[in-house]
Each structure stands twice: as C-alpha cells, then as structure tokens.
Amino acid sequence: MATSGSGSINATGWTGSAQDANDYYEFTLTPNSGYQLDITGITLSARRSAAGPANYLLSYSIAGSETTITTGTLSVTTSTSISPTFSLKTPQAVRFRIYAWGASIPAGTFRLDNTLTVNASAPLPVELVSFSGQPTDKAIELKWATSWEDRNEGFDILRGVMPDGLEKIGFVEGHTTSQAVSAYSYIDRDVKAGLVYYYRLRQRDIGGGSELSKIIAIRADFEGEALGASVYPNPNHGSFTVTTSSLETSTISLHDALGTVIPVTIRKNGQPTSASVNAVGYVTPGVYFLRFQMSEGTTRQIIKVIIE
C-alpha cells in the first residue's frame, strides 16, 4: 500500500526475494500532439527503512515493450540517487516503472522523494535514421530515411572528391512535419568512373537552422562490360566463391569503400570459371567491392560483397 508524505510517496509490502511484476511505482510521460520526447536521462531520489527492500530496477515501456534502464541496491535509511543516462526519442507516451524487492518484513518501507527530474535535449527538426549510397547505371544513387520531421524544409546534397570542402550539388524537398518514416533519394549523374566521391546531407529547417549528417564515401565503379560474374555466399564471413565466364582474362581484387585494396588469397577450383577467395583476417564487417580488371587496366565488372 502506498501513502503520500511531505514531498514523497511511501509504500510497504516489498518482501519478494526477486523482482515481482506487481510491485512497483509507475509514472507516464506523454508528449504533446505533434511533438516527440527526447530524453537523455532521469534523476530521482529513493530511500528505504532498515527493514525495507534492498534492491531496485528502473525500466521504461513504449506500447507495451519494456526495457530495463538500470538496477542497483538501496542504502539503509539514507537517500539513494538514481540518475542513469540513456537516449530515448519517441512521439509516443513512455511509461516508467521502478521495482523494488528484498524487504526483510512486510512493514519495511520504500520511499520516493518528490524530486523527479527528466533530462532532455532540444529535439532536432529531423531524426535521420539512415544515409547510404551505391553506384548505379553510370551514376551514384543516394538514399536516406527519417523517422521524425518537424518544420523540415529539405536537404542540401553536398559532394566532393575529398572529405573536406564539400559543395552543394542539389536539393531535395522535405516533408515539412511528419511522425512517420520518410524515404528520400537523389541520383548524382555528374560522376566519373573509378573516382571516390564523398557525400553529406545538410538538413535545413523552415526557421533557418541546419544540421549536417555523417560523411559517406562511394566509389563510382560501373565502367566496362560485365563478365556475368557472381559471388556466393553473399553476405559471407570473408570467404566466398567467384564464378564468371572466364577468369583467365581478368584480375580479381577486393577493395573497401575508400578504394583501399584488401589482401586476399585466390585459389582456382580446377576450372577457368570458378575460384575461391579468402580475406579472413583482413576484413571487418562491412561493404566491400570485388573488381574484375583486364590486363590493360579496364574494369569489366564490380560486385558488392557484404562481410558479416
């Protein structure tokens, strides 16, 4: 049973030896319509009597899915500050619960002081959840998505051949205000085969503010006629098989997203159309590019290889 005190709430009956799903304090934070919560931490003060519960667990729940934030022990008769930091961004209501257990007798008390503080940061006008790109038909296609937009005017597309000094090459209009996932794309056709291009998004809001995304690097690998080559399995763990119409007329090399050559061991499988490639020990999970190159230096085909 919980009772209100001077600047606090107090309860007894926390006698379970482990966390009990029915023994907790609860409060809910609900954003105003059209806004989202952007929580970076929470601070509250808890206290137990000498016979009160020794353990606590703080969690939050969105739409019924519960996540533990922190757990710990409570000091005897002195206030314990519970102040975890975490990141939580959502336009939905968030329910917080603090569980307690381990009281030595039913009359042992657990008290929360009236000092709850929710730490939050000013939300950005856009929540960017992905930004990527890939070479396509003599062009580079950029794709990105947002999960949240508030007064979003749109995105400047910045590009350069070096990570610094990127310049604007285009603009994609935003969805202004949205609480749903929004997908965007941009095709850059002014590219030259074999070069690495660096891209960045500059999001502009209607009020005049702006935010920059991370920088991504994409190699324009699409020159030459394809050899009908394939890789399997793909994704893989750094070891895979290559098949093509002819391995005798081409050189195989593996590159990362910046164009760096990755050491590999290539073993032909007793036929001119198949070979085993092993890069284990030289690669980490990510996206790589397998290049088939003719003796005169012409690239015939590029295959994206995903290493898990």
Side-chain angles (χ1 to χ4, degrees):
M1 175 180 292
T3 59
S4 296
S6 177
S8 66
I9 184 171
N10 201 47
T12 58
W14 311 88
T15 54
S17 59
Q19 179 186 346
D20 189 323
N22 298 311
D23 294 340
Y24 55 83
Y25 290 125
E26 177 182 299
F27 62 93
T28 300
L29 299 178
T30 304
N32 291 332
S33 178
Y35 292 85
Q36 73 168 354
L37 296 171
D38 193 358
I39 302 172
T40 57
I42 191 170
T43 300
L44 50 86
S45 179
R47 184 171 180 172
R48 72 178 178 99
S49 66
N55 310 288
Y56 71 87
L57 181 146
L58 178 64
S59 69
Y60 71 83
S61 176
I62 301 175
S65 178
E66 192 165 20
T67 300
T68 297
I69 301 173
T70 187
T71 186
T73 57
L74 297 166
S75 300
V76 178
T77 70
T78 60
S79 294
T80 298
S81 178
I82 302 173
S83 55
T85 58
F86 57 99
S87 179
L88 177 60
K89 299 179 181 181
T90 177
Q92 302 183 64
V94 181
R95 184 196 69 195
F96 290 88
R97 284 182 176 177
I98 179 165
Y99 299 85
W101 65 93
S104 57
I105 60 174
T109 61
F110 174 41
R111 186 184 83 182
L112 286 185
D113 296 330
N114 188 21
T115 56
L116 171 66
T117 301
V118 177
N119 307 314
S121 61
L124 298 176
V126 167
E127 179 69 18
L128 188 68
V129 294
S130 66
F131 177 37
S132 63
Q134 64 181 12
T136 181
D137 183 21
K138 296 184 179 180
I140 289 178
E141 183 177 15
L142 304 176
K143 294 183 178 181
W144 65 98
T146 66
S147 62
W148 163 269
E149 297 184 23
D150 182 23
R151 299 180 357 114
N152 176 29
E153 182 179 353
F155 303 87
D156 290 330
I157 314 301
L158 309 181
R159 187 197 71 181
V161 293
M162 297 293 289
D164 54 350
L166 305 185
E167 297 182 352
K168 178 181 174 181
I169 62 168
F171 176 78
V172 175
E173 186 175 351
H175 291 164
T176 309
T177 298
S178 172
Q179 295 185 27
V181 173
S182 300
Y184 296 90
S185 65
Y186 178 86
I187 296 180
D188 181 11
R189 301 190 184 279
D190 185 21
V191 294
K192 295 181 179 180
L195 291 183
V196 174
Y197 291 91
Y198 297 86
Y199 293 92
R200 196 174 204 177
L201 301 176
R202 180 169 58 209
Q203 183 276 322
R204 300 184 347 214
D205 62 73
I206 294 174
S210 65
E211 292 288 337
L212 292 171
S213 74
K214 67 179 182 180
I215 296 176
I216 61 174
I218 305 168
R219 177 175 288 273
D221 281 329
F222 41 72
E223 115 180 47
E225 296 295 328
L227 293 171
S230 62
V231 168
Y232 67 93
N234 195 11
N236 57 71
H237 297 291
S239 180
F240 51 90
T241 298
V242 175
T243 59
T244 182
S245 58
S246 175
L247 293 172
E248 301 295 336
T249 58
S250 61
T251 300
I252 300 174
S253 57
L254 186 67
H255 303 252
D256 64 16
L258 297 180
T260 304
V261 178
I262 306 299
V264 296
T265 299
I266 299 176
R267 181 174 57 83
K268 294 186 178 181
N269 297 330
Q271 50 186 323
T273 60
S274 176
S276 298
V277 180
N278 192 336
V280 175
Y282 296 101
V283 291
T284 57
V287 176
Y288 296 82
F289 297 93
L290 193 68
R291 180 194 296 268
F292 295 82
Q293 196 170 29
M294 305 303 290
S295 58
E296 72 276 13
T298 303
T299 297
R300 294 291 303 277
Q301 189 172 350
I302 301 292
I303 299 179
K304 181 190 293 185
V305 180
I306 300 175
I307 306 296
E308 295 181 332

